[in-house]
Amino acid sequence: MGSSGSALKVCADHRGGINWLSLSPDGQHLLTGSEDGTARLWSTADSQCHGHFQGHESYITFCHLENEVAFTCSADHTIRKWDVMTGQCLAIYRGHTSIVNRILVAKDYLFSGSYDRTARCWSVDKEKQIQEFRGHRNCVLTLAHYSSRDVLDESEEEQEKLSRDFLVTGSTDCTVKVWWVSSGRCYQTLLGHTGAVLCLILDARNRELFSGSTDYTIRTWNIVTGEQLKVFKEHQGSVICLEYSQEVEMPALELSIQRQVSCRGSSEDTSTSSTAFSFPRRHAKDLGRTRHLQAKPASPEEGEICPRQKLSEGKSVSSFQ
């Protein structure tokens, strides 16, 4: 945005609300996924549309852009992989039985979360399902991934002969679950939220996981032990997005459905800004249909770890209204 508050560029070819934005790693292109069932590729230099990806049979919920390929997921229960240069659909990943709400690309894996209460892992190249993660009592809304080597120090790495991959999922059943990717088994169930978990972000350096919820709180967890460390309670609406800066000791930034942005952390003189957003109409309507199914805070299944809770209340550094 310019200093006068006017938009620098406008990309206006979509015929429906835009559900997600994804910037390419080189910063040269922007991918948008829309209620009109298409994705579009834009040049960040001239704001022109350079690609139009058509094929989904319903609206697009989420998209992810790399330099050469793009991924989209949709309410038509599928995920698609696209060639950025030609716009050709390279693969269709089928298996979910309801709306695919979120995807995550990590290493050679493609992870997906769905309203069918499952998360799934796919081989990006072989285009087949590798693993299914089943255990949530309601929709899977958000995903995070980490390797054991991301959170272990050098002495612990020596004991850990092989790096293990973990998937973290947040659900409308009020829980966060951590899964072994290799086996599909649930390793930990993190209990504490009393509303749907809408967003997750991992700070591997400090071994911390942040979760935001419709219960108006942000919670911090030790990703190794599963202990709940802090609860931030000052929002007056659902927390729908979290960001964290690892370059300096910056706080987490969370966006509330109330269009208020708060900045939290340990540094008293740190500030930042952003703008809040809300779910587009049709996507929000589908999400709203799940509210009556929302379970009471769940108990862990047999064999899962339910960590002991050690709580402190987080402080708000800044509030942007």
Side-chain angles (χ1 to χ4, degrees):
M1 299 294 287
S3 58
S4 64
S6 60
L8 298 178
K9 298 175 182 177
V10 178
C11 307
D13 290 352
H14 277 298
R15 297 185 178 181
I18 295 173
N19 286 343
W20 208 264
L21 307 170
S22 180
L23 189 66
S24 62
D26 60 15
Q28 295 183 14
H29 293 93
L30 179 71
L31 182 68
T32 54
S34 172
E35 296 276 306
D36 64 16
T38 72
R40 288 181 180 267
L41 185 72
W42 312 84
S43 167
T44 55
D46 58 15
S47 72
Q48 295 300 306
C49 181
H50 289 188
H52 189 201
F53 307 139
Q54 302 181 76
H56 281 296
E57 297 176 2
S58 188
Y59 64 89
I60 293 175
T61 56
F62 189 88
C63 59
H64 172 77
L65 179 60
E66 299 187 347
N67 288 331
E68 297 181 356
V69 296
F71 296 87
T72 56
C73 60
S74 168
D76 67 7
H77 309 176
T78 70
I79 306 154
R80 288 178 179 251
K81 177 183 176 182
W82 310 85
D83 185 297
V84 168
M85 296 299 295
T86 66
Q88 178 184 359
C89 181
L90 301 176
I92 303 176
Y93 304 84
R94 304 181 189 273
H96 282 295
T97 58
S98 188
I99 297 169
V100 184
N101 184 70
R102 188 60 55 90
I103 51 177
L104 172 67
V105 180
K107 299 182 178 179
D108 295 326
Y109 299 132
L110 170 65
F111 297 99
S112 58
S114 170
Y115 285 23
D116 66 10
R117 306 184 183 188
T118 72
R120 300 178 190 233
C121 177
W122 315 78
S123 168
V124 172
D125 296 328
K126 296 181 180 180
E127 304 164 12
K128 67 177 183 179
Q129 183 177 308
I130 299 173
Q131 197 58 261
E132 178 178 311
F133 308 92
R134 186 176 294 272
H136 278 297
R137 299 181 181 181
N138 211 330
C139 313
V140 178
L141 297 179
T142 184
L143 307 168
H145 169 270
Y146 70 96
S147 166
S148 58
R149 290 181 180 173
D150 295 335
V151 297
L152 299 179
D153 58 32
E154 292 183 2
S155 61
E156 290 171 319
E157 277 190 43
E158 291 179 1
Q159 299 175 11
E160 185 82 11
K161 300 298 182 182
L162 296 175
S163 178
R164 299 182 182 181
D165 287 293
F166 294 89
L167 177 68
V168 188
T169 56
S171 169
T172 50
D173 67 7
C174 313
T175 70
V176 176
K177 286 181 178 287
V178 184
W179 312 80
W180 277 293
V181 172
S182 59
S183 67
R185 290 180 54 207
C186 184
Y187 169 64
Q188 291 185 131
T189 297
L190 309 183
L191 305 176
H193 282 296
T194 57
V197 180
L198 300 182
C199 48
L200 298 167
I201 195 160
L202 181 68
D203 175 18
R205 182 180 63 180
N206 292 315
R207 302 182 176 190
E208 291 181 342
L209 176 74
F210 296 88
S211 57
S213 170
T214 59
D215 65 10
Y216 304 177
T217 71
I218 304 97
R219 295 172 190 259
T220 309
W221 316 81
N222 182 305
I223 197 61
V224 177
T225 66
E227 288 181 323
Q228 188 176 189
L229 304 176
K230 294 181 181 179
V231 182
F232 302 94
K233 297 182 178 180
E234 294 183 17
H235 272 304
Q236 302 301 311
S238 299
V239 180
I240 60 176
C241 186
L242 295 166
E243 290 294 336
Y244 196 88
S245 172
Q246 296 183 352
E247 295 181 359
V248 292
E249 192 174 351
M250 289 281 288
L253 171 70
E254 68 273 359
L255 305 184
S256 167
I257 205 77
Q258 294 290 99
R259 295 187 179 275
Q260 172 179 304
V261 183
S262 294
C263 192
R264 306 178 187 275
S266 57
S267 175
E268 295 297 328
D269 60 352
T270 302
S271 64
T272 186
S273 64
S274 184
T275 53
F277 64 92
S278 59
F279 289 109
R281 185 175 300 172
R282 185 157 49 149
H283 195 188
K285 184 177 180 181
D286 284 332
L287 180 60
R289 289 173 182 160
T290 69
R291 290 178 182 172
H292 70 285
L293 299 174
Q294 201 170 110
K296 294 180 179 180
S299 301
E301 302 292 336
E302 184 178 354
E304 297 177 18
I305 299 174
C306 181
R308 295 176 61 186
Q309 307 300 311
K310 182 176 64 177
L311 299 177
S312 64
E313 187 166 338
K315 296 181 179 180
S316 176
V317 174
S318 304
S319 180
F320 304 92
Q321 301 185 41

